[in-house]
Amino acid sequence: MAVALAMATGVLVPLEDGLATLRFKGVQRPTSHQITVVEIDVPSLRAAGRWPWGRDRFATAIANLQAAGAKVVAFDVDFSAPAAPEADRMLARAIAQQPGSVILPTFVQPASRADGESKLVETSPLGGLSAEALLASVNVPVDADGRVRHYAYGFGEAGAYRQSMAAALAGVPNQRNGTFLIDYGMTVTDIPHLSFEDVYRNRFDPKAVRGRTILIGATALELGDEFATPQAGTVNGVYIHALAFENLAAGRALVTPPAWITFALTCLLAWFLRAEAGETSLRALSRRHAAVGVGLLALPVLIQDLTPVSLSVAPLLVAQLLCLLWATRAELDRRAKSIIHEREAGLLHLAMHEPETGLANRRALLADLTTRMGGSESGALAVVAVGIDRYPTMRGAVGYSLSNLIVRDVAAQLADICGDSDVAHLSTSVLGLVLQRPDLGALMADLERLEGLDPGREVAGHAVDVFLKLGVSHRISADQDAEGLLENATLALDEARQSNRRVVTFDTETYVDPSLNLALMTEMRRGLRAGELALHYQPKLTAADGVIRGVEALIRWKHPVRGNIPPDSFIGIAEETGSIRELTEWTLERALADRALLKAAGHDLMVSVNISARLLADRGFCDQLRALVAGKDHGLCLEITETAVIENPAAATAAIGGFRAVGLKVSIDDYGVGLSSLSYLKLLDADELKIDKSLVVSVTESQRDRLIVKSTIDLAHSLGMVVVAEGVETPEIQATLTLLGCDAIQGYLISRPVPLAELTPFLTAWRGDEARQANERAA
């Protein structure tokens, strides 16, 4: 069932694309050289000086090509609008010189009518041009992810059927419907090509044309006729048609077996790989699966080499992996029980002791302190944090092993003085102990003995001076807890080190509210529990159809005394103090709950949540986040800033891989704010790229910014990412971004961030406006 669900939802498409690419590389075929592409390239545009061209240039090109012996001249150029009358007549005469040897393009697309039915609408060349020419559709089928994998034989039904360009050029029988998988084993670079300017000036080798089919189309970036492909990157539309022609001419129009056949093969494979009863040898299982894996990778290559059949291998590989995991898990569970049973005692010891020195750790000290504070024994009690001065320098001079011996020796001397207290190893250079005496005088006497401890000692035959500093925290009230006392002793030790004093005793008045930032974080945690913090949502509008399919969650804090606190005032502090994880976890849980409410109201949206750079390296947070969404219809997209990726690319790459493994979408946020790096961008398997407002605001005024945004959009599309533009505030900016190929927009033009209570009616109203506009267009 898991494999069937993955096949139905398209989860396996990236894996299938990768396997198909390997097959295409392994089964490469030369092109037939039956077709030559005439490129309307940058030199041709510059030579003409303007676009669109006069039709007389195309008439001259047809005459030159036919004079050189071209068999058929086909166009991927729009001739539907009238131009200069004389130029149109020249083109019509050039087409009439050899009737039926020129193919002009049409564009077929469905349109909805007011009665709910659909019909085909075809945009055709001018009647005067198409009278003596053949017509063929230049529509290119694009999959849901924006990539071209298939090519159509034709479009429409018998009464309104139009053959595709490649099918017409290859002589495929008319009225054939359906699509075939493009064989990218034939590379676009092998297809012969000429510049339109050379053809127009008649300065080309006739051998490149004689007896061949000629296809004229745009390749200049300015004309924007480009398509993303999973194997060949970005390919111009004219080369998509040429490559499809080569496939048809060579009998390499690939077909894929129906999904039910692939699923049946998957079930058969799972039955074959099932673990037999008692079969728990990991080595035997590995050999068995290795042989099957090699067969699954090699057999489709052989089949595709011999026949035009492309097998879907991803479901089979996933089924094999699931079988291997199931069998491996059974064996590992058995081994784990044995290991857990043997290590329970050792783990208990490790939990309470520092592994390098063997001393009790912080947990053990807190347990001892809690017991003492809860006992009936009265008297004076204090916690002492003992810091070893210049410990990193000493460790660098004498090495780790001798440094650990020094720590143990200092702990032994402290224990001799204190008598009844275990000395704990709190951190690398800090020891801790508890002093409990009948009265304050006895306690102070022991503290003086600790202060007068001789720094000179001999360790492993070496004389070493070890200077100590002490931080002391006295228990002054019954409501103090163990954690607070130990923390106060640590704070006192920090003060002793900063002031270069031997002993510092914690003073409540001195350390009350030491940091406004910490106080603000305390207020924030209280605010989380009190419901003062909330999420507002800013919609993301899909540029192509005007539909809102996602929102970004933005946190807002309304303090009962201070009023609205800007996010910039507390998010940065939360990152510095480590509170960002708690804040982010709350945000994720709130976003999931709000999304469920939206979905129940009929609005199934993707919710984007910002993730701090500091959390990418927090493995615990990453694991908890994956556990939070695993197996759920979460609909979450994590927005990670570009600077976070640049600061720690290894952690970012690992974290993103883990997020995507559980179905989370990943967006690279604020692209263009910092030092945008292509080398980092190409390493990330992200779903979305958000262009920062700084690049968007001047896109209508600055040609330089338009080029930057256009190249960014093209790059993101070629990497399989959706592009979202932030900070869109005017219709002009929206229109420009749409022309540049931007997939979605976000900004005040659509909506400011609004609370959930306002978001639902806004979405409902937007949907109603959208439906009304669609009905008006249909009418």
Side-chain angles (χ1 to χ4, degrees):
M1 293 302 296
V3 176
L5 181 62
M7 292 173 62
T9 57
V11 173
L12 301 179
V13 170
L15 175 59
E16 193 61 61
D17 284 343
L19 295 171
T21 300
L22 293 177
R23 292 199 296 273
F24 289 138
K25 290 181 178 179
V27 189
Q28 292 193 353
R29 296 178 181 274
T31 56
S32 65
H33 286 229
Q34 297 180 36
I35 189 170
T36 297
V37 173
V38 175
E39 298 182 347
I40 302 177
D41 51 12
V42 172
S44 302
L45 292 178
R46 290 177 179 173
R50 61 187 177 87
W51 180 266
W53 294 337
R55 304 281 166 76
D56 54 325
R57 297 181 69 87
F58 297 109
T60 302
I62 292 174
N64 292 342
L65 290 169
Q66 290 179 343
K71 183 171 65 175
V72 175
V73 178
F75 286 89
D76 185 8
V77 179
D78 185 8
F79 292 125
S80 59
E86 181 57 32
D88 285 346
R89 285 192 290 272
M90 289 180 62
L91 180 56
R93 287 195 297 270
I95 295 173
Q97 290 297 318
Q98 294 186 23
S101 65
V102 175
I103 301 179
L104 298 181
T106 68
F107 306 88
V108 180
Q109 55 186 341
S112 297
R113 299 189 307 192
D115 58 6
E117 297 182 358
S118 62
K119 64 177 181 178
L120 292 177
V121 176
E122 183 177 53
T123 302
S124 303
L126 294 173
L129 301 179
S130 59
E132 300 295 338
L134 300 178
L135 300 181
S137 172
V138 292
N139 289 79
V140 176
V142 179
D143 289 348
D145 61 355
R147 300 186 180 186
V148 175
R149 298 179 178 85
H150 301 82
Y151 193 88
Y153 291 101
F155 301 89
E157 303 299 333
Y161 179 83
R162 183 68 66 192
Q163 201 170 26
S164 67
M165 179 62 74
L169 294 176
V172 174
N174 205 358
Q175 301 298 322
R176 181 172 182 180
N177 278 312
T179 64
F180 60 88
L181 189 67
I182 299 176
D183 185 355
Y184 285 102
M186 294 180 176
T187 59
V188 171
T189 55
D190 288 343
I191 298 176
H193 58 90
L194 297 170
S195 173
F196 186 92
E197 181 64 17
D198 291 338
V199 172
Y200 178 71
R201 300 295 179 185
N202 206 13
R203 57 190 184 200
F204 59 92
D205 186 354
K207 294 180 180 178
V209 172
R210 187 176 299 118
R212 295 187 183 181
T213 296
I214 308 300
L215 181 58
I216 301 175
T219 61
L221 181 62
E222 296 93 317
L223 301 183
D225 187 20
E226 294 181 331
F227 295 91
T229 68
Q231 283 83 23
T234 300
V235 178
N236 296 108
V238 65
Y239 279 103
I240 294 288
H241 298 300
L243 191 58
F245 166 82
E246 290 284 0
N247 290 172
L248 292 170
R252 295 298 298 174
L254 299 178
V255 295
T256 303
W260 69 268
I261 293 181
T262 302
F263 183 70
L265 291 175
T266 302
C267 295
L268 183 63
L269 179 68
W271 178 84
F272 175 73
L273 291 175
R274 71 191 189 285
E276 301 291 344
E279 182 181 4
T280 57
S281 172
L282 293 181
R283 182 175 299 178
L285 284 172
S286 299
R287 287 197 299 265
R288 185 176 176 186
H289 281 266
V292 172
V294 171
L296 289 178
L297 294 177
L299 185 60
V301 176
L302 179 61
I303 292 176
Q304 189 166 313
D305 186 34
L306 298 177
T307 64
V309 175
S310 178
L311 294 179
S312 297
V313 185
L316 301 175
L317 289 175
V318 172
Q320 181 192 6
L321 177 61
L322 292 176
C323 290
L324 180 60
L325 292 176
W326 184 270
T328 303
R329 179 183 176 183
E331 170 62 7
L332 293 180
D333 284 346
R334 184 191 65 80
R335 296 185 182 185
K337 291 179 181 179
S338 176
I339 293 173
I340 291 173
H341 180 73
E342 294 174 359
R343 293 186 177 180
E344 281 182 348
L347 290 175
L348 180 61
H349 182 271
L350 288 175
M352 304 298 286
H353 291 79
E354 167 61 37
E356 292 187 354
T357 60
L359 298 172
N361 59 15
R362 179 187 179 91
R363 185 181 292 109
L365 180 66
L366 285 173
D368 178 42
L369 180 57
T370 301
T371 301
R372 291 174 181 268
M373 294 175 66
S376 59
E377 185 178 352
S378 61
L381 184 144
V383 178
V384 183
V386 182
I388 301 176
D389 271 4
R390 299 169 51 250
Y391 182 80
T393 303
M394 179 183 66
R395 185 178 59 190
V398 302
Y400 276 85
S401 298
L402 192 56
S403 297
N404 289 332
L405 289 177
I406 293 173
V407 172
R408 286 197 293 268
D409 181 75
V410 172
Q413 287 195 347
L414 295 174
D416 288 342
I417 294 175
C418 300
D420 61 342
S421 176
D422 291 334
V423 179
H425 196 171
L426 301 182
S427 64
T428 304
S429 61
V430 179
L431 300 173
L433 59 119
V434 180
L435 288 178
Q436 187 170 23
R437 297 295 180 260
D439 53 55
L440 184 59
L443 180 63
M444 297 304 296
D446 279 348
L447 288 175
E448 289 179 2
R449 293 174 62 195
L450 291 176
E451 183 178 356
L453 193 64
D454 186 2
R457 63 198 67 245
E458 184 175 330
V459 179
H462 301 278
V464 180
D465 285 337
V466 179
F467 295 93
L468 305 178
K469 286 186 170 59
L470 309 179
V472 183
S473 175
H474 292 276
R475 184 187 184 188
I476 58 177
S477 64
D479 59 351
Q480 288 181 285
D481 61 358
E483 185 71 44
L485 274 178
L486 181 56
E487 181 66 23
N488 292 342
T490 304
L491 291 173
L493 175 60
D494 291 340
E495 177 64 21
R497 284 173 164 171
Q498 293 174 5
S499 60
N500 198 24
R501 287 187 286 170
R502 187 71 183 273
V503 179
V504 170
T505 300
F506 181 81
D507 184 356
T508 303
E509 294 184 0
T510 302
Y511 288 94
V512 64
D513 194 17
S515 171
L516 181 61
N517 293 343
L518 292 178
L520 186 61
M521 290 301 96
T522 301
E523 285 287 295
M524 185 195 73
R525 294 189 182 94
R526 182 200 56 77
L528 286 175
R529 295 190 296 270
E532 297 171 8
L533 280 81
L535 292 183
H536 287 202
Y537 297 92
Q538 187 171 36
K540 295 180 181 180
L541 179 71
T542 304
D545 53 10
V547 177
I548 295 176
R549 292 190 171 90
V551 292
E552 180 181 1
L554 301 169
I555 195 165
R556 297 293 185 266
W557 182 6
K558 188 173 183 179
H559 194 277
V561 177
R562 304 182 189 182
N564 292 324
I565 300 179
D568 293 341
S569 300
F570 62 90
I571 290 180
I573 298 173
E575 290 181 330
E576 293 297 330
T577 59
S579 301
I580 191 63
R581 176 170 175 176
E582 180 181 357
L583 184 62
T584 304
E585 290 172 350
W586 176 88
T587 301
L588 289 166
E589 292 174 357
R590 184 69 264 166
L592 285 172
D594 288 350
R595 182 182 179 275
L597 294 176
L598 286 171
K599 187 173 182 180
H603 305 290
D604 191 2
L605 302 178
M606 179 72 68
V607 178
S608 298
V609 177
N610 291 281
I611 300 298
S612 168
R614 296 182 180 272
L615 295 178
L616 293 181
D618 187 343
R619 183 175 298 179
F621 169 80
C622 296
D623 292 342
Q624 183 173 346
L625 174 54
R626 291 195 295 268
L628 178 66
V629 302
K632 297 180 181 178
D633 176 23
H634 50 78
L636 287 183
C637 177
L638 307 181
E639 293 194 2
I640 301 170
T641 62
E642 172 199 9
T643 53
V645 176
I646 295 175
E647 287 173 1
N648 196 342
T653 303
I656 288 174
F659 295 154
R660 296 207 52 170
V662 294
L664 286 164
K665 301 293 184 181
V666 176
S667 174
I668 304 303
D669 195 13
D670 295 339
Y671 187 80
V673 174
L675 300 175
S676 303
S677 174
L678 300 181
S679 61
Y680 291 134
L681 187 61
K682 71 179 183 180
L683 295 176
L684 302 175
D685 190 16
D687 304 276
E688 182 181 276
L689 184 69
K690 296 190 73 174
I691 302 177
D692 186 72
K693 180 180 179 180
S694 60
L695 289 178
V696 171
V697 292
S698 58
V699 72
T700 59
E701 303 171 359
S702 170
Q703 177 67 18
R704 183 181 183 89
D705 283 358
R706 278 197 297 275
L707 290 174
I708 293 173
V709 171
K710 173 63 176 173
S711 62
T712 300
I713 291 172
D714 291 342
L715 172 63
H717 284 169
S718 65
L719 294 175
M721 289 187 280
V722 172
V723 180
V724 179
E726 295 179 299
V728 178
E729 298 182 0
T730 66
E732 292 78 10
I733 293 178
Q734 178 187 8
T736 302
L737 290 171
T738 302
L739 288 175
L740 294 177
C742 186
D743 302 295
I745 63 171
Q746 178 181 348
Y748 286 177
L749 177 64
I750 308 305
S751 172
R752 292 176 176 268
V754 295
L756 183 66
E758 298 179 21
L759 178 64
T760 303
F762 171 83
L763 293 173
T764 302
W766 186 279
R767 183 181 294 174
D769 291 342
E770 179 185 311
R772 184 172 59 256
Q773 293 172 6
N775 290 333
E776 292 174 357
R777 289 194 298 268

